[in-house]
């Protein structure tokens, strides 16, 4: 009987303690999905002759999509896919640089259901970036001794990248917010002879569903 009473007391205590915790968890957003436009300014080490020809590939446009699962009111696990491209046509030759990134990390944000419509956030993401640089660097390109009778080949490398930044969301309805601005510092460590390290500053805005 004593054991039964002790068990009942412990069970009652756990129930009383857990109710506020469960209620608090129910009051927070479980997750969110972001999709929006991205503009990226990349600082890199292109050879001088490209700049002389007006081949400015440092400004890229594209998009990024991210999903976040919130495991506490303030912390969430985040995954992101991003794509940007810069292009320039010179004497009929189309120069392009493309970045495709897959990253994951942690987001800090107040995920409480009720509260301010203005929700700032910050995140640190890490992953891989696939960088494709113009064919002038590849086989058959000018740096390979000319076009060699065929189309020059682009060079692609997949390297480690990061995104460190944050922004502000503004809630417009119960399930939707406008991401007014997101700014990320985005370095990619390529180890390439021509572009050893690319550092990017990315600006994004779009829609958040939660």
């Amino acid at each position: 009987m004593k054991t039964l009473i002790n068990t009942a007391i412990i069970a009652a205590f756990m129930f009383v303690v857990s109710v506020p915790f469960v209620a608090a968890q129910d009051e927070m957003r479980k997750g969110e999905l972001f999709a929006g436009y991205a503009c990226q300014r990349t600082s890199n080490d292109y050879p001088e002759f490209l700049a002389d020809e007006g081949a400015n590939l440092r400004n890229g446009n594209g998009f990024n999509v991210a999903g976040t699962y919130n495991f506490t009111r303030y912390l969430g696990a985040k995954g992101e896919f991003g794509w940007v491209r810069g292009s320039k046509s010179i004497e009929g030759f189309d120069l392009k640089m493309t970045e495709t990134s897959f990253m994951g990390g942690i987001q800090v944000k107040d995920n409480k259901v009720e509260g301010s419509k203005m929700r700032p956030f910050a995140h640190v993401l890490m992953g891989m970036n696939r960088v494709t640089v113009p064919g002038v660097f590849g086989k058959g390109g000018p740096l390979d001794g000319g076009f060699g009778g065929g189309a020059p080949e682009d060079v692609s490398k997949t390297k480690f990248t990061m995104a460190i930044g944050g922004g502000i969301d503004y809630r417009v309805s119960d399930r939707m917010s406008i991401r007014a601005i997101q700014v990320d510092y985005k370095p990619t460590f390529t180890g390439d002879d021509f572009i050893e390290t690319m550092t990017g500053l990315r600006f994004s805005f779009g829609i958040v569903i939660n």
Side-chain angles (χ1 to χ4, degrees):
M1 177 63 71
K2 185 177 181 180
T3 302
L4 182 60
I5 293 174
N6 290 338
T7 302
I9 292 174
I10 293 174
F13 175 78
M14 293 180 64
F15 175 78
V16 171
V17 171
S18 64
V19 166
F21 175 78
V22 172
Q25 292 296 94
D26 288 341
E27 292 175 356
M28 76 174 193
R29 302 291 183 183
K30 301 300 184 182
E32 66 181 36
L33 178 65
F34 166 74
Y37 165 79
C39 175
Q40 182 170 302
R41 170 73 175 179
T42 303
S43 174
N44 46 40
D45 300 322
Y46 285 110
E48 291 296 328
F49 81 88
L50 283 179
D52 293 340
E53 293 295 331
N56 178 12
L57 301 181
R58 296 185 176 183
N59 296 317
N61 297 280
F63 65 91
N64 60 330
V65 178
T68 305
Y69 174 76
N70 301 317
F71 47 86
T72 74
R73 173 179 168 180
Y74 293 101
L75 290 178
K78 188 172 191 175
E80 182 197 273
F81 169 77
W83 182 93
V84 294
R85 168 175 286 180
S87 63
K88 183 76 173 182
S89 180
I90 299 179
E91 297 181 356
F93 183 71
D94 189 23
L95 298 177
K96 295 178 291 186
M97 185 190 75
T98 302
E99 289 185 46
T100 305
S101 59
F102 297 88
M103 294 183 286
I106 296 296
Q107 174 172 283
V108 179
K109 181 181 179 181
D110 186 356
N111 300 301
K112 186 178 179 181
V113 173
E114 301 296 333
S116 174
K117 290 186 176 182
M118 196 80 70
R119 301 292 177 98
F121 68 93
H123 59 211
V124 177
L125 308 176
M126 295 179 288
M128 303 305 293
N129 203 25
R130 184 169 181 81
V131 181
T132 302
V133 294
V136 291
F137 296 104
K139 182 179 179 181
L143 296 183
D144 190 43
F147 290 94
E153 298 178 2
D154 289 348
V155 177
S156 296
K157 291 181 180 294
T158 303
K159 297 294 181 179
F160 177 74
T161 191
M162 300 178 66
I164 305 170
I168 297 176
D169 294 342
Y170 183 81
R171 184 171 299 282
V172 294
S173 72
D174 184 52
R175 291 294 179 182
M176 187 175 73
S177 300
I178 299 296
R179 181 149 296 173
I181 185 64
Q182 175 180 314
V183 182
D184 293 300
Y185 169 68
K186 190 170 177 287
T188 299
F189 309 96
T190 68
D192 186 81
D193 292 337
F194 297 106
I195 308 173
E196 295 182 358
T197 302
M198 297 198 318
T199 57
L201 187 62
R202 184 179 64 178
F203 299 88
S204 307
F205 63 87
I207 302 295
V208 179
I209 305 296
N210 52 23

